[in-house]
Coordinates of all heavy atoms in Angstrom, one line a residue:
G26 N 0.8 -1.2 0.0 CA 0.0 0.0 -0.1 C 0.8 1.3 0.0 O 2.1 1.2 0.0
Y27 N 0.2 2.3 -0.1 CA 0.8 3.6 -0.1 C 1.0 4.1 1.3 O 0.3 3.9 2.2 CB 0.1 4.7 -0.9 CG -0.1 4.4 -2.3 CD1 -1.2 3.7 -2.8 CD2 0.9 4.7 -3.2 CE1 -1.4 3.4 -4.1 CE2 0.8 4.5 -4.6 CZ -0.4 3.8 -5.1 OH -0.5 3.5 -6.4
E28 N 2.1 4.8 1.6 CA 2.4 5.5 2.8 C 2.0 6.9 2.7 O 2.3 7.5 1.7 CB 3.8 5.3 3.3 CG 4.2 3.9 3.7 CD 5.5 3.8 4.3 OE1 6.0 4.8 4.9 OE2 6.1 2.7 4.2
Y29 N 1.3 7.4 3.7 CA 1.0 8.8 3.6 C 1.8 9.6 4.6 O 2.1 9.1 5.7 CB -0.5 9.1 4.0 CG -1.4 8.5 3.0 CD1 -1.9 7.3 3.2 CD2 -1.8 9.2 1.9 CE1 -2.8 6.7 2.2 CE2 -2.6 8.6 0.9 CZ -3.1 7.4 1.1 OH -4.0 6.9 0.2
C30 N 2.3 10.7 4.2 CA 3.2 11.6 5.1 C 2.4 12.9 5.3 O 2.3 13.6 4.4 CB 4.5 11.8 4.4 SG 5.7 12.8 5.4
Y31 N 2.0 13.1 6.6 CA 1.3 14.3 6.9 C 2.2 15.1 7.8 O 2.7 14.7 8.8 CB 0.0 14.0 7.6 CG -0.9 13.3 6.7 CD1 -1.4 12.0 7.1 CD2 -1.4 13.7 5.5 CE1 -2.3 11.3 6.4 CE2 -2.3 13.0 4.8 CZ -2.7 11.8 5.2 OH -3.6 11.1 4.4
H32 N 2.3 16.4 7.5 CA 3.0 17.3 8.4 C 2.0 17.7 9.4 O 0.8 17.6 9.3 CB 3.4 18.6 7.6 CG 4.4 18.2 6.5 ND1 5.7 17.9 6.7 CD2 4.3 18.2 5.2 CE1 6.3 17.6 5.6 NE2 5.5 17.7 4.6
E33 N 2.5 18.1 10.6 CA 1.6 18.5 11.7 C 0.6 19.6 11.2 O -0.6 19.5 11.8 CB 2.4 19.2 12.8 CG 3.2 18.1 13.6 CD 3.9 18.6 14.8 OE1 3.4 19.7 15.4 OE2 4.9 18.1 15.2
D34 N 0.9 20.4 10.3 CA -0.1 21.5 10.0 C -1.2 20.9 9.0 O -2.1 21.6 8.6 CB 0.6 22.6 9.3 CG 1.3 22.3 8.1 OD1 1.7 21.1 7.9 OD2 1.7 23.3 7.3
T35 N -1.1 19.7 8.6 CA -2.1 19.0 7.8 C -3.0 18.1 8.5 O -3.8 17.4 7.9 CB -1.4 18.3 6.6 OG1 -0.7 17.1 7.1 CG2 -0.6 19.2 5.7
I36 N -3.1 18.2 9.8 CA -4.0 17.4 10.6 C -5.1 18.3 11.1 O -5.0 19.4 11.6 CB -3.3 16.8 11.9 CG1 -2.1 15.9 11.4 CG2 -4.2 16.1 12.7 CD1 -2.5 14.7 10.6
H37 N -6.3 17.7 11.0 CA -7.5 18.3 11.4 C -8.2 17.5 12.5 O -8.2 16.3 12.3 CB -8.5 18.6 10.2 CG -9.7 19.2 10.5 ND1 -9.8 20.6 10.6 CD2 -10.9 18.8 10.9 CE1 -11.0 21.0 10.9 NE2 -11.7 19.9 11.1
E38 N -8.7 18.1 13.5 CA -9.4 17.3 14.6 C -10.9 17.4 14.5 O -11.3 18.6 14.4 CB -8.8 17.6 16.0 CG -9.4 16.6 17.0 CD -8.5 16.6 18.3 OE1 -7.3 16.9 18.2 OE2 -9.1 16.4 19.3
R39 N -11.6 16.4 14.5 CA -13.1 16.5 14.4 C -13.7 15.4 15.4 O -13.3 14.3 15.3 CB -13.6 16.1 13.0 CG -15.0 15.9 12.9 CD -15.7 17.1 12.4 NE -17.1 16.7 12.1 CZ -18.1 17.4 12.4 NH1 -18.0 18.5 13.0 NH2 -19.4 17.0 12.1
K40 N -14.4 15.9 16.4 CA -15.0 15.0 17.4 C -13.9 14.1 18.1 O -14.1 13.0 18.3 CB -16.1 14.1 16.8 CG -17.2 14.9 16.2 CD -18.3 14.0 15.6 CE -19.4 14.9 15.1 NZ -20.5 14.1 14.5
G41 N -12.7 14.7 18.4 CA -11.7 14.0 19.0 C -10.9 13.1 18.2 O -10.0 12.4 18.7
V42 N -11.1 13.0 16.9 CA -10.4 12.1 15.9 C -9.6 13.0 15.0 O -10.1 13.9 14.5 CB -11.3 11.3 15.1 CG1 -10.6 10.4 14.2 CG2 -12.2 10.4 16.1
Q43 N -8.3 12.6 14.9 CA -7.5 13.4 14.0 C -7.5 12.8 12.6 O -7.4 11.6 12.4 CB -6.0 13.3 14.4 CG -5.7 14.2 15.7 CD -4.2 14.2 16.0 OE1 -3.4 13.5 15.4 NE2 -3.9 15.1 16.8
I44 N -7.7 13.6 11.6 CA -7.8 13.2 10.2 C -6.9 14.1 9.4 O -6.7 15.3 9.8 CB -9.2 13.2 9.7 CG1 -9.9 14.5 9.8 CG2 -10.1 12.1 10.4 CD1 -11.1 14.7 9.0
A45 N -6.6 13.7 8.2 CA -5.8 14.6 7.4 C -6.7 15.7 6.8 O -7.9 15.5 6.5 CB -5.3 13.8 6.1
T46 N -6.2 16.9 6.9 CA -7.0 18.0 6.4 C -7.5 17.8 5.0 O -8.6 18.2 4.7 CB -6.1 19.4 6.5 OG1 -5.8 19.5 7.9 CG2 -6.9 20.6 6.0
A47 N -6.7 17.2 4.1 CA -7.2 16.9 2.8 C -8.4 16.2 2.8 O -9.4 16.4 2.1 CB -6.0 16.2 1.9
D48 N -8.5 15.0 3.6 CA -9.6 14.2 3.7 C -10.8 15.0 4.2 O -12.0 14.8 3.7 CB -9.4 13.0 4.6 CG -8.4 12.0 4.1 OD1 -8.3 12.0 2.8 OD2 -7.9 11.1 4.8
Y49 N -10.6 15.8 5.2 CA -11.7 16.7 5.7 C -12.2 17.6 4.7 O -13.4 17.8 4.5 CB -11.1 17.4 6.9 CG -12.1 18.4 7.5 CD1 -13.2 17.9 8.3 CD2 -12.0 19.8 7.3 CE1 -14.1 18.7 8.9 CE2 -12.9 20.7 7.8 CZ -14.0 20.1 8.6 OH -15.0 21.0 9.2
E50 N -11.3 18.2 3.9 CA -11.8 19.2 2.9 C -12.5 18.5 1.7 O -13.5 19.0 1.2 CB -10.5 20.0 2.3 CG -9.9 20.9 3.4 CD -10.8 22.0 3.9 OE1 -11.6 22.5 3.1 OE2 -10.8 22.3 5.1
Y51 N -12.0 17.4 1.3 CA -12.7 16.6 0.2 C -14.1 16.2 0.7 O -15.1 16.3 0.0 CB -11.9 15.4 -0.2 CG -10.8 15.7 -1.1 CD1 -9.5 15.1 -0.8 CD2 -10.9 16.4 -2.3 CE1 -8.5 15.4 -1.7 CE2 -9.8 16.7 -3.0 CZ -8.6 16.1 -2.7 OH -7.6 16.5 -3.5
S52 N -14.2 15.8 1.9 CA -15.5 15.4 2.5 C -16.5 16.6 2.5 O -17.7 16.4 2.1 CB -15.3 14.9 4.0 OG -16.6 14.6 4.5
K53 N -16.0 17.8 2.8 CA -16.8 18.9 2.8 C -17.3 19.3 1.4 O -18.4 19.6 1.2 CB -16.1 20.2 3.4 CG -16.0 20.2 4.9 CD -15.3 21.4 5.5 CE -15.0 22.5 4.7 NZ -14.3 23.7 5.3
I54 N -16.4 19.2 0.5 CA -16.7 19.3 -0.9 C -17.8 18.4 -1.4 O -18.8 18.8 -2.1 CB -15.5 19.3 -1.8 CG1 -14.5 20.5 -1.5 CG2 -15.8 19.3 -3.3 CD1 -13.1 20.3 -2.1
I55 N -17.6 17.1 -1.1 CA -18.6 16.1 -1.5 C -20.0 16.5 -0.9 O -21.0 16.5 -1.6 CB -18.2 14.8 -1.0 CG1 -16.9 14.4 -1.9 CG2 -19.2 13.7 -1.2 CD1 -16.2 13.1 -1.3
V56 N -20.1 16.8 0.4 CA -21.3 17.1 1.0 C -22.0 18.4 0.4 O -23.2 18.4 0.1 CB -21.1 17.3 2.6 CG1 -22.3 17.9 3.2 CG2 -20.7 15.9 3.2
E57 N -21.1 19.4 0.2 CA -21.6 20.6 -0.4 C -22.3 20.3 -1.8 O -23.2 20.8 -2.2 CB -20.6 21.7 -0.5 CG -20.2 22.3 0.9 CD -19.0 23.2 0.8 OE1 -18.5 23.5 -0.3 OE2 -18.5 23.6 1.8
R58 N -21.6 19.4 -2.6 CA -22.0 19.1 -4.0 C -23.3 18.3 -3.9 O -24.3 18.6 -4.7 CB -21.0 18.3 -4.7 CG -21.3 18.0 -6.2 CD -21.4 19.3 -6.9 NE -21.7 19.0 -8.3 CZ -22.5 19.7 -9.1 NH1 -22.9 20.9 -8.7 NH2 -22.6 19.4 -10.4
I59 N -23.4 17.4 -3.0 CA -24.7 16.6 -2.8 C -25.8 17.5 -2.4 O -26.9 17.4 -3.1 CB -24.5 15.5 -1.8 CG1 -23.6 14.4 -2.3 CG2 -25.8 14.9 -1.4 CD1 -23.1 13.4 -1.2
C60 N -25.6 18.4 -1.5 CA -26.6 19.3 -1.1 C -27.0 20.3 -2.4 O -28.2 20.5 -2.6 CB -26.1 20.2 0.0 SG -26.0 19.4 1.5
S61 N -26.0 20.8 -3.1 CA -26.3 21.6 -4.3 C -27.1 20.8 -5.3 O -28.1 21.4 -5.9 CB -25.0 22.0 -4.9 OG -25.2 22.7 -6.1
L62 N -26.8 19.6 -5.6 CA -27.4 18.8 -6.6 C -29.0 18.5 -6.1 O -29.8 18.6 -7.0 CB -26.7 17.5 -6.9 CG -25.5 17.6 -7.7 CD1 -24.6 16.4 -7.7 CD2 -25.7 18.1 -9.1
C63 N -29.1 18.2 -4.9 CA -30.4 18.0 -4.3 C -31.3 19.2 -4.5 O -32.3 19.1 -4.9 CB -30.3 17.5 -2.9 SG -29.8 15.8 -2.7
K64 N -30.7 20.4 -4.2 CA -31.4 21.6 -4.3 C -31.8 21.9 -5.7 O -33.0 22.3 -6.0 CB -30.7 22.8 -3.7 CG -31.3 24.1 -3.6 CD -30.5 25.1 -2.9 CE -31.3 26.4 -2.9 NZ -30.6 27.5 -2.1
Q65 N -30.9 21.7 -6.6 CA -31.1 22.0 -8.0 C -32.2 21.1 -8.6 O -33.0 21.6 -9.5 CB -29.8 21.7 -8.9 CG -28.7 22.8 -8.7 CD -27.5 22.4 -9.4 OE1 -27.4 21.4 -10.3 NE2 -26.4 23.1 -9.1
R66 N -32.3 19.9 -8.1 CA -33.3 19.0 -8.7 C -34.5 18.8 -7.8 O -35.4 18.0 -8.2 CB -32.5 17.6 -8.9 CG -31.6 17.6 -10.0 CD -30.7 16.4 -10.0 NE -29.8 16.3 -11.2 CZ -28.8 16.9 -11.4 NH1 -28.3 17.9 -10.5 NH2 -28.1 16.8 -12.5
G67 N -34.6 19.5 -6.7 CA -35.8 19.4 -5.9 C -35.9 18.1 -5.1 O -37.0 17.6 -5.0
I68 N -34.8 17.5 -4.8 CA -34.7 16.2 -4.1 C -34.3 16.5 -2.7 O -33.4 17.2 -2.4 CB -33.7 15.3 -4.8 CG1 -34.0 15.1 -6.3 CG2 -33.5 14.0 -4.0 CD1 -32.9 14.4 -7.0
T69 N -35.0 15.7 -1.8 CA -34.5 15.8 -0.4 C -33.4 14.8 -0.1 O -33.3 13.7 -0.8 CB -35.6 15.4 0.6 OG1 -36.1 14.1 0.4 CG2 -36.8 16.4 0.4
I70 N -32.6 15.1 0.8 CA -31.5 14.1 1.1 C -32.0 12.8 1.6 O -31.4 11.7 1.2 CB -30.6 14.7 2.3 CG1 -29.9 16.0 1.9 CG2 -29.6 13.7 2.9 CD1 -28.8 15.8 1.0
N71 N -33.2 12.8 2.2 CA -33.8 11.5 2.6 C -34.3 10.7 1.5 O -34.5 9.5 1.6 CB -34.9 11.8 3.6 CG -34.4 12.4 4.9 OD1 -33.3 12.1 5.3 ND2 -35.3 13.2 5.5
K72 N -34.4 11.2 0.3 CA -34.8 10.5 -0.9 C -33.7 9.8 -1.6 O -33.8 8.8 -2.3 CB -35.6 11.3 -1.9 CG -36.1 10.7 -3.1 CD -37.4 11.3 -3.4 CE -37.9 10.6 -4.7 NZ -39.0 9.8 -4.6
L73 N -32.5 10.3 -1.3 CA -31.3 9.7 -1.9 C -31.0 8.2 -1.8 O -30.7 7.6 -2.7 CB -30.1 10.5 -1.5 CG -29.8 11.7 -2.4 CD1 -28.4 12.4 -1.9 CD2 -29.7 11.5 -3.8
P74 N -31.2 7.7 -0.6 CA -31.0 6.2 -0.4 C -31.9 5.4 -1.4 O -31.5 4.5 -1.9 CB -31.4 5.9 1.1 CG -31.1 7.2 1.7 CD -31.4 8.3 0.8
D75 N -33.1 5.8 -1.5 CA -34.0 5.1 -2.4 C -33.5 5.3 -3.9 O -33.6 4.3 -4.7 CB -35.5 5.6 -2.4 CG -36.0 5.2 -1.0 OD1 -35.7 4.2 -0.5 OD2 -37.0 6.0 -0.7
M76 N -33.1 6.4 -4.3 CA -32.6 6.7 -5.6 C -31.3 6.0 -6.0 O -31.1 5.7 -7.2 CB -32.5 8.2 -5.8 CG -33.8 9.0 -5.8 SD -33.5 10.7 -5.8 CE -32.7 11.0 -7.4
S77 N -30.5 5.9 -5.0 CA -29.1 5.4 -5.3 C -28.7 4.1 -4.8 O -27.8 3.5 -5.3 CB -28.1 6.5 -4.6 OG -28.3 6.3 -3.1
G78 N -29.5 3.5 -3.8 CA -29.2 2.2 -3.3 C -28.1 2.3 -2.1 O -27.6 1.4 -1.6
V79 N -27.7 3.6 -1.8 CA -26.9 3.8 -0.7 C -27.6 3.8 0.6 O -28.7 4.5 0.7 CB -26.1 5.1 -0.8 CG1 -25.3 5.5 0.4 CG2 -25.2 5.2 -2.1
R80 N -27.2 3.0 1.5 CA -27.9 2.9 2.8 C -28.1 4.3 3.5 O -27.2 5.0 3.4 CB -27.2 1.9 3.8 CG -27.4 0.5 3.3 CD -26.7 -0.5 4.3 NE -25.3 0.0 4.4 CZ -24.4 -0.4 5.3 NH1 -24.7 -1.4 6.1 NH2 -23.2 0.0 5.3
Q81 N -29.2 4.5 4.2 CA -29.5 5.7 4.9 C -28.3 6.1 5.9 O -27.9 7.1 6.0 CB -30.8 5.7 5.6 CG -31.1 6.9 6.2 CD -31.6 8.1 5.3 OE1 -32.4 7.8 4.5 NE2 -31.0 9.2 5.5
S82 N -27.9 5.0 6.6 CA -26.9 5.2 7.6 C -25.6 5.7 7.0 O -24.8 6.5 7.6 CB -26.6 3.9 8.5 OG -26.2 2.8 7.6
V83 N -25.2 5.1 5.8 CA -23.9 5.6 5.1 C -24.1 7.0 4.7 O -23.1 7.8 4.9 CB -23.7 4.7 3.9 CG1 -22.5 5.1 3.1 CG2 -23.4 3.2 4.3
L84 N -25.2 7.4 4.1 CA -25.4 8.7 3.7 C -25.5 9.7 4.9 O -24.8 10.7 4.9 CB -26.8 8.8 2.9 CG -27.0 10.2 2.3 CD1 -25.9 10.5 1.3 CD2 -28.4 10.2 1.6
D85 N -26.1 9.3 6.0 CA -26.2 10.0 7.2 C -24.8 10.3 7.8 O -24.4 11.5 8.1 CB -27.0 9.4 8.3 CG -28.5 9.5 8.0 OD1 -28.9 10.2 7.1 OD2 -29.2 8.7 8.7
N86 N -23.9 9.3 7.8 CA -22.5 9.4 8.3 C -21.7 10.4 7.5 O -21.0 11.2 7.9 CB -21.8 8.1 8.4 CG -22.3 7.3 9.6 OD1 -22.7 7.8 10.6 ND2 -22.2 6.0 9.5
L87 N -22.0 10.4 6.1 CA -21.2 11.2 5.2 C -21.7 12.7 5.4 O -20.9 13.6 5.6 CB -21.5 10.8 3.8 CG -20.8 11.7 2.7 CD1 -19.3 11.8 2.9 CD2 -21.2 11.2 1.3
M88 N -23.0 12.8 5.5 CA -23.6 14.2 5.6 C -23.4 14.9 6.8 O -23.2 16.1 7.0 CB -25.1 14.2 5.2 CG -25.4 13.6 3.8 SD -24.7 14.4 2.5 CE -25.4 16.0 2.5
N89 N -23.2 14.1 7.9 CA -23.0 14.6 9.3 C -21.5 14.7 9.7 O -21.3 15.0 10.8 CB -23.7 13.7 10.3 CG -25.2 13.8 10.2 OD1 -25.8 14.9 9.8 ND2 -26.0 12.7 10.4
G90 N -20.7 14.4 8.7 CA -19.3 14.6 9.1 C -18.6 13.4 9.9 O -17.6 13.6 10.5
N91 N -19.3 12.3 9.9 CA -18.7 11.1 10.6 C -17.9 10.2 9.7 O -17.2 9.4 10.2 CB -19.8 10.3 11.2 CG -20.6 11.1 12.3 OD1 -20.0 11.9 13.0 ND2 -21.9 10.9 12.2
T92 N -18.0 10.4 8.4 CA -17.2 9.6 7.4 C -16.5 10.7 6.6 O -17.1 11.6 6.0 CB -18.1 8.8 6.5 OG1 -18.8 7.8 7.3 CG2 -17.4 8.1 5.4
F93 N -15.2 10.5 6.4 CA -14.3 11.4 5.7 C -13.8 10.9 4.4 O -13.3 11.6 3.6 CB -13.2 11.9 6.6 CG -13.7 12.6 7.8 CD1 -13.7 12.0 9.0 CD2 -14.2 13.9 7.7 CE1 -14.2 12.6 10.1 CE2 -14.6 14.6 8.8 CZ -14.6 13.9 10.0
N94 N -13.9 9.6 4.2 CA -13.4 9.0 3.0 C -14.4 7.9 2.4 O -14.1 6.7 2.5 CB -12.0 8.5 3.1 CG -11.9 7.5 4.3 OD1 -12.8 7.3 5.0 ND2 -10.8 6.8 4.4
P95 N -15.4 8.4 1.8 CA -16.5 7.4 1.4 C -15.9 6.5 0.2 O -15.0 7.0 -0.4 CB -17.6 8.3 0.8 CG -17.0 9.6 0.6 CD -15.9 9.7 1.6
R96 N -16.4 5.3 0.1 CA -15.9 4.4 -0.9 C -16.3 5.0 -2.3 O -17.3 5.7 -2.5 CB -16.6 3.1 -0.7 CG -16.1 2.3 0.5 CD -16.8 1.0 0.6 NE -16.4 0.3 1.8 CZ -16.7 -0.9 2.2 NH1 -17.6 -1.5 1.5 NH2 -16.2 -1.4 3.3
I97 N -15.5 4.6 -3.3 CA -15.7 5.1 -4.7 C -17.1 4.5 -5.1 O -17.9 5.2 -5.8 CB -14.7 4.6 -5.6 CG1 -13.3 5.3 -5.2 CG2 -15.0 4.7 -7.1 CD1 -13.3 6.7 -5.4
S98 N -17.4 3.2 -4.7 CA -18.7 2.7 -5.1 C -19.8 3.5 -4.6 O -20.9 3.7 -5.2 CB -18.8 1.2 -4.7 OG -18.7 1.1 -3.3
T99 N -19.7 4.0 -3.4 CA -20.7 4.9 -2.8 C -20.9 6.1 -3.6 O -22.0 6.6 -4.0 CB -20.5 5.2 -1.3 OG1 -20.4 4.0 -0.5 CG2 -21.5 6.2 -0.7
L100 N -19.8 6.8 -3.9 CA -19.8 8.0 -4.7 C -20.5 7.8 -6.1 O -21.2 8.5 -6.6 CB -18.4 8.6 -4.8 CG -17.8 9.1 -3.5 CD1 -16.4 9.6 -3.7 CD2 -18.7 10.2 -2.8
H101 N -20.1 6.6 -6.6 CA -20.6 6.3 -7.9 C -22.1 6.1 -8.0 O -22.8 6.6 -8.8 CB -19.9 5.0 -8.4 CG -20.2 4.7 -9.8 ND1 -20.8 3.4 -10.2 CD2 -20.1 5.3 -11.1 CE1 -21.0 3.4 -11.5 NE2 -20.6 4.5 -12.0
R102 N -22.6 5.4 -7.0 CA -24.1 5.2 -6.8 C -24.8 6.5 -6.6 O -25.9 6.7 -7.2 CB -24.4 4.2 -5.7 CG -24.1 2.8 -6.1 CD -24.6 1.9 -5.1 NE -23.4 1.4 -4.3 CZ -23.3 1.0 -3.1 NH1 -24.4 0.9 -2.4 NH2 -22.2 0.6 -2.6
L103 N -24.2 7.4 -5.8 CA -24.8 8.7 -5.7 C -24.8 9.5 -7.0 O -25.8 10.2 -7.4 CB -24.1 9.5 -4.6 CG -24.3 9.0 -3.2 CD1 -23.4 9.6 -2.2 CD2 -25.8 9.2 -2.7
A104 N -23.6 9.4 -7.7 CA -23.6 10.2 -9.0 C -24.6 9.7 -10.0 O -25.2 10.4 -10.7 CB -22.2 10.0 -9.6
L105 N -24.8 8.3 -10.0 CA -25.8 7.7 -10.9 C -27.2 8.1 -10.7 O -28.0 8.4 -11.5 CB -25.7 6.2 -10.9 CG -24.4 5.6 -11.6 CD1 -24.4 4.1 -11.4 CD2 -24.3 6.0 -13.1
A106 N -27.4 8.4 -9.3 CA -28.8 8.7 -8.9 C -29.1 10.2 -9.4 O -30.3 10.5 -9.7 CB -28.8 8.8 -7.4
F107 N -28.1 11.0 -9.6 CA -28.2 12.4 -10.1 C -28.2 12.5 -11.6 O -28.6 13.5 -12.1 CB -27.2 13.3 -9.5 CG -27.4 13.6 -8.0 CD1 -26.4 13.2 -7.1 CD2 -28.5 14.3 -7.6 CE1 -26.6 13.5 -5.7 CE2 -28.7 14.6 -6.2 CZ -27.7 14.2 -5.3
S108 N -27.9 11.4 -12.2 CA -27.7 11.5 -13.7 C -29.0 11.2 -14.4 O -30.0 10.8 -13.9 CB -26.6 10.6 -14.2 OG -26.9 9.2 -14.0

């Protein structure tokens, strides 16, 4: 696997857990984009699990900042739901 090298200034703490700032920032971008797409299409976040096949708990964890690196398959299913 790959080794990650983080400098001290690239660590972000959320709910007592240290994560790489890049992961935190990407997560924020993903959440903002999901919200934007839902708003543009008149879809509620709660409808996404039915549309995408992504479990409600997985989506809740992503949207609430409990998951910082969602699986590619999760992002793909969400993308397909918006297409």
Side-chain angles (χ1 to χ4, degrees):
Y27 294 98
E28 287 188 30
Y29 293 96
C30 180
Y31 298 121
H32 299 286
E33 284 185 29
D34 61 344
T35 63
I36 299 297
H37 182 84
E38 189 162 329
R39 168 100 169 136
K40 298 181 182 180
V42 176
Q43 288 188 346
I44 59 165
T46 297
D48 289 343
Y49 177 77
E50 292 301 321
Y51 282 130
S52 178
K53 282 184 7 184
I54 291 167
I55 291 167
V56 168
E57 288 171 8
R58 184 65 177 147
I59 289 170
C60 290
S61 172
L62 288 168
C63 282
K64 185 175 181 179
Q65 287 174 12
R66 289 168 169 78
I68 300 168
T69 65
I70 296 290
N71 292 331
K72 183 141 175 111
L73 275 181
D75 293 333
M76 294 173 58
S77 66
V79 173
R80 288 180 305 174
Q81 183 73 48
S82 61
V83 171
L84 189 59
D85 288 345
N86 283 331
L87 177 62
M88 301 306 290
N89 293 326
N91 297 323
T92 298
F93 298 100
N94 54 353
R96 293 180 180 182
I97 295 295
S98 60
T99 298
L100 296 176
H101 185 241
R102 282 186 257 157
L103 290 169
L105 290 175
F107 288 115
S108 64

